[in-house]
Amino acid sequence: MILFSAYPLGILTVIVLLMLTVPARAQYCSERPGGCCPGRDDACTVPRADTLCYCDEFCLRSKDPDCCPDVFNNCTALPSTKSPLNPNPITTGDCIYQGRNLYAGDSIKINCNTCACLPMVGGYQLECEENVCLIREEIINSVNSESNGWRASNYSFLWGMTLEEGIQRRLGTLKPGRAVAAMTEIDIEQTNQLPESFDSRQKWPGWVEGVMDQGNCGSSWAVSTTAVASDRLAIQSMGHMRAPLSAQNLLSCNTRGQRGCDGGRIDRAWFYVRRFGIVTDQCYPYKSGMDEASMMTRHACMLPRYKTTPCPKDKVTSEKYQSSPPYRISTEEDDIKAEILENGPVQATLLVKADFYSYARGVYKYTRGSVKESSQHRRKGYHSVRVLGWGVDRTDPDNPIPYWLCANSWGSQWGEDGYFRILRGQDECEIESFILGVWGDVDMDMMQG
Ligand SMILES: *[C@@H]1O[C@H](CO)[C@@H](O)[C@H](O)[C@H]1NC(C)=O
Ligand SMILES: *[C@@H]1O[C@H](CO)[C@@H](O)[C@H](O)[C@H]1NC(C)=O
């Protein structure tokens, strides 16, 4: 009995041992004309099986799965392009980070940067990438040390991303083109007395969409458009048409002139909703950017999980909901208020600055901070959100702060349950610059349905 089961195991061990010894003989970087390359060099490759593997310094640091098997053995003599984190080499042959021992070739991730313990002249040193991270302790501390009306905090779902990745994967609205920005504004008739505060969710309970999560996909152009379209359809149909519309439908099918998870234009999105219509979210649920995936590997942005799913044929025949062409509302506070009060939430474009990602609560206003920072640290991107109402924050009775109440699309763990408030009346981060409203295409069938 014992012999019977031990024998096949013995064969298995031999096979495993054979497999383990093969990569040691594999020659990739050592046979590459030009050898290894400093820094991050996406052209520094060797064919491997039916794909490519990499021989650059980035691989040494990051343990990218696309690295060649011999990169660590053969590329360690590279002149380093980064400054060492630990200026005093440790001569015992390893590196120490926060009391932790690391050995040659080990790598760790410190926020958005990968650090590797590399052999250097005179010993081993921990060397790190120098990306600007999306969530930074300096920003959180600097915002929270001032009394500027809002508080910042850490978000584990954003921690570990670079600012660049945040701009690419958490925003996704392209700046309106000149022709669109020059769109004529409609005249708003000021019939109602404007209240000091207003919240669409209270006036139209159950008809206003909740907060969505766009995931790691730059799809705010589609998400904000379908959310405003859904709200407007529900309100204009007096609640007869209440199903949320599918952001995935727009994201996957409105491909002309749009870039899917790499961003899109809201004027083109509205054109699509008007011309072709959108099915419900239940019929075509949102999936893009939802997978848990490391943002670290070289090909992160090209991985299929960050792409949109193709537009399936069976969705094309399902019932669709259309809208009127969108109309632009002036940048006047009272016009924007009157439009929301009368017709429901509006769509706004927002210029997102580096501190916005860390917003926790209060009335947001860009905070420069005291630290002198490079332009890399100040990178901005366009986003689009829904404005649901307005109010005045009287937390500090001596300093009332007027605000717009907005819905973001980063899930409900961000901000004030997924919502945020932003300074009103000063075009803070361009929030009042480009406001759109729309009419749903509500017909009598729908009213009776
Ligand atoms: C890498 O391989 C090349 C070619 O075989 C060899 O000349 C070079 O010394 C190797 N470098 C290291 C650090 O082992
Ligand atoms: C932020 O959250 C992450 C994940 O929960 C944690 O590892 C990190 O230390 C936190 N950073 C700060 C500055 O609190």
Side-chain angles (χ1 to χ4, degrees):
M1 212 35 203
I2 290 166
L3 256 178
F4 185 73
S5 65
Y7 187 61
L9 264 182
I11 292 175
L12 201 66
T13 313
V14 172
I15 293 171
V16 168
L17 279 175
L18 274 174
M19 283 168 69
L20 282 175
T21 53
V22 172
R25 276 185 272 124
Q27 311 240 300
Y28 295 94
C29 303
S30 55
E31 286 181 347
R32 183 181 180 272
C36 306
C37 318
R40 176 170 171 164
D41 184 349
D42 289 354
C44 190
T45 57
V46 184
R48 183 189 187 195
D50 54 358
T51 175
L52 295 171
C53 68
Y54 290 84
C55 295
D56 60 359
E57 198 187 359
F58 181 82
C59 271
L60 266 179
R61 300 162 175 283
S62 65
K63 288 198 173 164
D64 185 328
D66 300 321
C67 295
C68 295
D70 61 341
V71 70
F72 188 72
N73 291 329
N74 194 256
C75 300
T76 47
L78 279 173
S80 179
T81 55
K82 304 279 168 149
S83 59
L85 181 80
N86 179 354
N88 306 309
I90 295 152
T91 46
T92 52
D94 58 10
C95 310
I96 294 170
Y97 176 71
Q98 293 188 341
R100 217 179 110 191
N101 261 298
L102 299 160
Y103 298 94
D106 281 354
S107 60
I108 49 165
K109 206 175 162 193
I110 302 175
N111 195 353
C112 71
N113 288 302
T114 297
C115 303
C117 182
L118 296 181
M120 304 280 285
V121 186
Y124 287 76
Q125 277 175 242
L126 195 59
E127 288 193 51
C128 298
E129 295 176 300
E130 289 167 352
N131 300 312
V132 177
C133 299
L134 187 60
I135 300 286
R136 280 185 289 141
E137 222 170 335
E138 306 94 89
I139 291 184
I140 297 173
N141 293 342
S142 134
V143 168
N144 292 346
S145 68
E146 291 173 43
S147 54
N148 52 11
W150 67 281
R151 302 262 113 194
S153 79
N154 183 13
Y155 289 105
S156 54
F157 73 100
L158 299 177
W159 180 261
M161 286 170 88
T162 64
L163 177 57
E164 190 59 45
E165 286 165 340
I167 292 169
Q168 278 177 17
R169 299 285 148 224
R170 284 284 160 179
L171 310 180
T173 298
L174 305 177
K175 194 176 156 63
R178 204 183 303 168
V180 184
M183 211 164 123
T184 27
E185 296 156 4
I186 59 150
D187 282 333
I188 303 272
E189 231 176 286
Q190 300 279 357
T191 45
N192 289 291
Q193 203 53 23
L194 294 167
E196 191 198 58
S197 68
F198 178 76
D199 183 345
S200 296
R201 295 170 298 180
Q202 278 158 20
K203 178 167 178 185
W204 299 287
W207 298 357
V208 174
E209 287 300 304
V211 162
M212 246 197 80
D213 188 353
Q214 66 187 76
N216 280 322
C217 167
S219 59
S220 65
W221 63 272
V223 170
S224 67
T225 298
T226 46
V228 169
S230 308
D231 291 353
R232 293 287 177 119
L233 271 172
I235 291 166
Q236 282 148 25
S237 69
M238 307 292 282
H240 287 279
M241 177 18 223
R242 258 192 319 186
L245 297 183
S246 166
Q248 191 69 59
N249 185 170
L250 193 53
L251 184 58
S252 296
C253 310
N254 177 203
T255 48
R256 180 177 292 189
Q258 304 285 49
R259 299 193 219 140
C261 280
D262 289 327
R265 277 177 39 182
I266 48 185
D267 54 309
R268 294 194 172 133
W270 283 115
F271 178 83
Y272 187 92
V273 179
R274 173 165 78 98
R275 178 84 170 71
F276 302 102
I278 295 288
V279 299
T280 63
D281 190 60
Q282 192 188 20
C283 165
Y284 195 175
Y286 190 81
K287 290 226 172 67
S288 291
M290 282 298 145
D291 291 16
E292 271 295 320
S294 159
M295 298 290 291
M296 270 315 293
T297 52
R298 188 190 306 264
H299 299 298
C301 297
M302 284 176 262
L303 287 175
R305 59 183 160 251
Y306 292 114
K307 294 223 162 166
T308 60
T309 51
C311 185
K313 286 230 162 32
D314 60 323
K315 307 295 181 197
V316 178
T317 52
S318 307
E319 191 179 359
K320 291 196 195 134
Y321 299 89
Q322 288 165 286
S323 72
S324 74
Y327 49 84
R328 182 159 181 206
I329 295 122
S330 88
T331 57
E332 293 298 318
E333 239 183 290
D334 284 355
D335 285 352
I336 302 170
K337 285 180 181 171
E339 171 65 20
I340 300 172
L341 184 70
E342 213 38 51
N343 299 317
V346 293
Q347 186 180 37
T349 301
L350 179 70
L351 181 60
V352 172
K353 302 184 181 175
D355 59 349
F356 183 76
Y357 304 91
S358 312
Y359 168 90
R361 61 181 194 276
V363 179
Y364 172 80
K365 179 177 107 188
Y366 173 56
T367 305
R368 263 170 197 80
S370 48
V371 206
K372 234 181 149 193
E373 290 180 321
S374 70
S375 57
Q376 279 305 310
H377 291 77
R378 291 180 190 274
R379 292 221 35 207
K380 300 169 220 169
Y382 278 97
H383 191 40
S384 49
V385 297
R386 237 174 348 143
V387 187
L388 304 185
W390 65 90
V392 180
D393 186 307
R394 297 187 191 280
T395 311
D396 176 0
D398 298 333
N399 180 29
I401 311 173
Y403 65 82
W404 295 114
L405 169 66
C406 307
N408 198 358
S409 44
W410 297 347
S412 54
Q413 70 276 48
W414 183 88
E416 297 179 330
D417 298 321
Y419 300 87
F420 66 99
R421 290 174 292 152
I422 183 168
L423 186 64
R424 165 165 57 89
Q426 297 178 31
D427 200 21
E428 180 63 36
C429 295
E430 303 185 17
I431 187 82
E432 286 138 21
S433 287
F434 194 68
I435 304 265
L436 294 182
V438 73
W439 291 99
D441 199 347
V442 178
D443 61 23
M444 286 321 283
D445 284 358
M446 219 183 263
M447 296 293 281
Q448 283 143 17

